[in-house]
Amino acid sequence: MSKEIELKLTFPSRYIKFMQDMSWLEYQGITAPTVDKLYSIYYDTPDLRLKNSGCSLRLRRIGKTWIQTIKSGGHISAGLHQHDEWEVPIHTNQPDFTQANDPTIKQLFKNAKLQEELQPVFVTKFTRHTQRLRLAQDSEIEFCFDHGKIIAGSKHQLICEIELELKSGNPLEIFRFASSLVDKSPFPLRLENASKAERGYILYSGYFPSPVKATKIEITTDIHLNTALKMIIESCLDQLSKNENGVLAAPDDIEYLHQVRVALRRLRSAINLLYPASSDPEVTSIRKDLKWLTQKLNPARDWDIFITETFPQIAPHFPQHPGFPLIFETCQTLRHKHKKAARLSLHSRRYTKLLLGISIWLDGISQCSPQKVITHTHNKLSDIPIKTSVTTLMADLHQKIAIAGKKLHTLDAVTLHALRICIKKQRYISEFFRELFPQKVCKDYIFLLSNLQDVLGSINDYVTTQKFLGEICIQKNKKAQQHEAIGIIYGWATRCMLEKRKELEYAWTAFSQVKPFWENDGRR
């Protein structure tokens, strides 16, 4: 068994001819470029048992030789693919497990019925241009440029991608080299978070992966805060990458964009709370780009909420009003405009550079001493326990929230939004480190915090609705009816906002009565 570590980048098919000339890589090449025609057959059972168990079985023909490859487990994040891989030459294009000596493979395929049910589910046919490159620190990678097709029955999908596979040395050099490729390339390169096998399965089944929520992070008391920060950011990148393709390929499903924004908020909170050093140029650049991306995605999400949640609450009460269909049509146009801008931002060079930059920075975080991670703006972390550091951070945030809550009824929309952001940060930091504390009291605190966040979020949605109404361009026909419809929506949003202000008081009362879990012995 070997561990496969590779980074994938995709590019528009119109640049294939440019990529076929690999002379610009010669200065780093340690082998001459080669060109191969590759034909691969992917096998699975009719109910896709291999895929559902996190495994893939591929037979690839290279010239007159067949290579059987099994990949299992592994992880994909920010374009970096890591898998356990078993390869063996075989004599035909049929799976052959007689030569499988690895006990893991024997266990996977010991079921005779499974072997009988294996059948081709899709194939890949592509041309591969390959060259071995030497990078810094004596690291070596295999640069592959692939162009061709994935074919499943009568359906097909283009392959236009670069694979950078680590052969020896430091995986960090793959990210650095990819970053230089993005800088030099005259066309946009995008990190690809789905393997050819994953894309083939989607093509074959017609089923696109569901939106992915944040997963629990297993942080223990015996690790340093810098290690925890790395785990948290990797979790955020994982959530981001698993929803990114959904935003691009399924724009009508609003949950993908929502989860991308959640991942970004968690990521920004982690960096701002646990590493607020403004003197670090890498962190400053990452913060700036994360803010840029958030601002690009926010309008699309806000219009999603208005079109799918707010407007449907109001319009049914005025079924005969002629202004509502016209307003809805205009709002849909604005929504599509902002969703297109969101997709373009995920296709942009700046976004790819951001993800690569975070991965490069993370490597530095894992190598540095704990003193370089800062728990809050003024106090640097020493070798004190992680639980103590996190407790100090959460206590500071809790105090800020408590001070704002005492004058809750006097806060305007802008200040309420600032409070909501502070509550989000507290919720994320509590969720990141919840494994360090008693689960019952921690869960209760996070629940009440989330309830506060939800109510404040609803208030913000209605404030945003009022702002959106000012952006609507009135169509020439039926101006009076459209103005009247806008007035109705504005009044509705105002009434709902006032009701939510009352609900906020109840949510705050419940939250203010709970004792913070980091100082709680299990009793309220």
Side-chain angles (χ1 to χ4, degrees):
M1 180 189 77
S2 63
K3 176 71 74 173
E4 181 186 51
I5 301 176
E6 62 183 18
L7 192 76
K8 292 179 182 286
L9 300 122
T10 59
F11 58 89
S13 59
R14 61 183 178 274
Y15 296 107
I16 287 176
K17 286 187 177 180
F18 174 88
M19 285 299 304
Q20 287 174 332
D21 177 13
M22 297 177 67
S23 59
W24 55 292
L25 295 171
E26 283 183 0
Y27 74 101
Q28 289 174 305
I30 55 177
T31 63
T34 61
V35 181
D36 296 292
K37 299 285 187 181
L38 303 183
Y39 177 78
S40 301
I41 307 171
Y42 287 79
Y43 282 81
D44 208 328
T45 62
D47 58 353
L48 306 182
R49 260 174 284 167
L50 293 186
K51 176 187 179 297
N52 294 332
S53 64
C55 179
S56 70
L57 169 60
R58 180 188 74 201
L59 273 60
R60 171 168 289 172
R61 186 182 66 204
I62 307 175
K64 295 181 179 180
T65 303
W66 285 94
I67 303 293
Q68 178 175 277
T69 302
I70 297 171
K71 295 183 182 182
S72 181
H75 179 70
I76 301 174
S77 180
L80 188 69
H81 298 237
Q82 301 181 66
H83 300 281
D84 294 329
E85 181 181 72
W86 296 266
E87 284 194 344
V88 60
I90 58 175
H91 300 294
T92 67
N93 63 346
Q94 297 296 319
D96 179 4
F97 303 108
T98 61
Q99 302 180 52
N101 297 319
D102 191 287
T104 306
I105 293 298
K106 288 183 178 180
Q107 181 66 25
L108 278 172
F109 293 95
K110 69 178 182 180
N111 188 317
K113 184 179 179 183
L114 181 144
Q115 293 189 29
E116 290 175 7
E117 292 181 356
L118 289 173
Q119 64 181 31
V121 288
F122 58 89
V123 301
T124 60
K125 296 172 68 175
F126 58 92
T127 301
R128 167 164 286 180
H129 301 252
T130 307
Q131 188 168 14
R132 192 86 166 238
L133 308 179
R134 178 174 287 121
L135 308 181
Q137 301 182 21
D138 291 326
S139 296
E140 292 187 10
I141 66 168
E142 186 173 75
F143 178 100
C144 297
F145 152 54
D146 298 338
H147 59 96
K149 291 180 180 180
I150 303 172
I151 305 167
S154 61
K155 298 177 289 186
H156 73 272
Q157 184 183 98
L158 290 179
I159 296 171
C160 299
E161 66 184 29
I162 296 169
E163 287 188 5
L164 308 175
E165 183 176 353
L166 184 71
K167 293 301 182 181
S168 65
N170 187 352
L172 175 64
E173 296 307 318
I174 294 182
F175 289 104
R176 287 177 173 158
F177 180 70
S179 185
S180 71
L181 286 182
V182 174
D183 287 333
K184 295 174 184 176
S185 172
F187 47 82
L189 294 173
R190 193 176 73 83
L191 290 168
E192 178 54 74
N193 295 297
S195 65
K196 292 183 182 71
E198 289 174 283
R199 285 173 276 164
Y201 274 115
I202 293 171
L203 195 64
Y204 170 78
S205 65
Y207 174 75
F208 202 83
S210 300
V212 176
K213 295 184 178 182
T215 56
K216 185 168 67 173
I217 306 169
E218 300 289 346
I219 293 175
T220 57
T221 56
D222 59 344
I223 65 173
H224 286 299
L225 190 56
N226 54 349
T227 304
L229 176 59
K230 187 172 185 290
M231 293 169 64
I232 291 167
I233 293 179
E234 286 176 342
S235 171
C236 296
L237 289 176
D238 184 59
Q239 183 186 11
L240 176 62
S241 63
K242 286 180 177 176
N243 289 288
E244 175 192 308
N245 283 339
V247 176
L248 299 174
D252 291 334
D253 190 330
I254 67 174
E255 186 63 17
Y256 292 107
L257 178 59
H258 174 55
Q259 293 303 326
V260 163
R261 288 177 70 250
V262 170
L264 281 175
R265 290 199 302 262
R266 294 173 71 237
L267 184 55
R268 293 180 70 189
S269 295
I271 294 175
N272 291 337
L273 290 170
L274 300 175
Y275 205 104
S278 58
S279 59
D280 189 329
E282 280 184 295
V283 179
T284 301
S285 176
I286 288 170
R287 277 209 195 92
K288 182 178 179 181
D289 286 342
L290 286 173
K291 183 177 180 180
W292 158 80
L293 182 60
T294 302
Q295 291 172 341
K296 287 292 184 181
L297 300 183
N298 280 349
R301 173 60 180 172
D302 290 339
W303 278 106
D304 277 345
I305 294 295
F306 179 76
I307 290 293
T308 64
E309 296 182 16
T310 306
F311 196 90
Q313 292 177 30
I314 307 170
H317 295 277
F318 304 91
Q320 304 302 321
H321 198 292
F324 275 83
L326 296 172
I327 293 299
F328 185 78
E329 181 183 343
T330 303
C331 290
Q332 280 283 37
T333 300
L334 287 168
R335 180 194 185 194
H336 291 318
K337 170 189 167 185
H338 288 294
K339 288 177 84 72
K340 181 180 179 180
R343 293 195 299 274
L344 287 174
S345 68
L346 296 180
H347 273 296
S348 69
R349 190 189 305 264
R350 185 173 183 178
Y351 175 64
T352 302
K353 287 283 290 183
L354 168 62
L355 295 182
L356 292 169
I358 292 174
S359 297
I360 292 169
W361 173 66
L362 270 186
D363 184 79
I365 286 293
S366 64
Q367 300 297 325
C368 74
S369 64
Q371 285 78 7
K372 293 193 72 174
V373 180
I374 305 173
T375 54
H376 48 87
T377 307
H378 304 294
N379 299 322
K380 291 188 176 182
L381 173 69
S382 61
D383 279 327
I384 58 179
I386 184 173
K387 189 171 180 178
T388 304
S389 303
V390 172
T391 295
T392 301
L393 177 60
M394 290 190 297
D396 288 348
L397 283 171
H398 183 85
Q399 185 178 13
K400 289 179 182 178
I401 295 169
I403 291 172
K406 290 178 180 178
K407 48 184 179 180
L408 198 62
H409 64 284
T410 66
L411 301 182
D412 60 16
V414 175
T415 314
L416 283 177
H417 181 60
L419 173 60
R420 177 172 168 248
I421 291 174
C422 191
I423 288 171
K424 279 184 184 179
K425 290 179 180 178
Q426 182 74 326
R427 175 190 166 190
Y428 293 144
I429 206 73
S430 300
E431 290 175 341
F432 291 152
F433 295 100
R434 66 187 303 167
E435 295 301 304
L436 301 178
F437 300 92
Q439 291 301 290
K440 174 65 170 62
V441 288
C442 184
K443 183 179 179 181
D444 291 345
Y445 183 87
I446 292 174
F447 173 79
L448 293 170
L449 204 60
S450 298
N451 191 39
L452 263 180
Q453 180 186 328
D454 289 342
V455 177
L456 286 167
S458 295
I459 292 173
N460 186 66
D461 288 341
Y462 291 122
V463 171
T464 302
T465 293
Q466 293 178 332
K467 175 186 141 190
F468 280 170
L469 295 174
E471 297 180 20
I472 296 175
C473 296
I474 300 298
Q475 299 181 34
K476 291 182 179 179
N477 59 322
K478 300 182 179 179
K479 288 185 179 181
Q481 292 92 331
Q482 292 173 73
H483 282 298
E484 187 175 78
I486 288 175
I488 291 171
I489 297 171
Y490 192 96
W492 184 287
T494 301
R495 182 180 68 82
C496 291
M497 190 162 48
L498 291 174
E499 290 178 352
K500 285 294 177 181
R501 291 289 300 237
K502 294 177 183 177
E503 191 177 329
L504 179 61
E505 296 285 349
Y506 294 117
W508 175 258
T509 299
F511 175 75
S512 63
Q513 292 174 353
V514 69
K515 191 175 182 181
F517 60 85
W518 53 88
E519 58 185 49
N520 202 318
D521 62 358
R523 299 186 301 272
R524 281 203 192 174

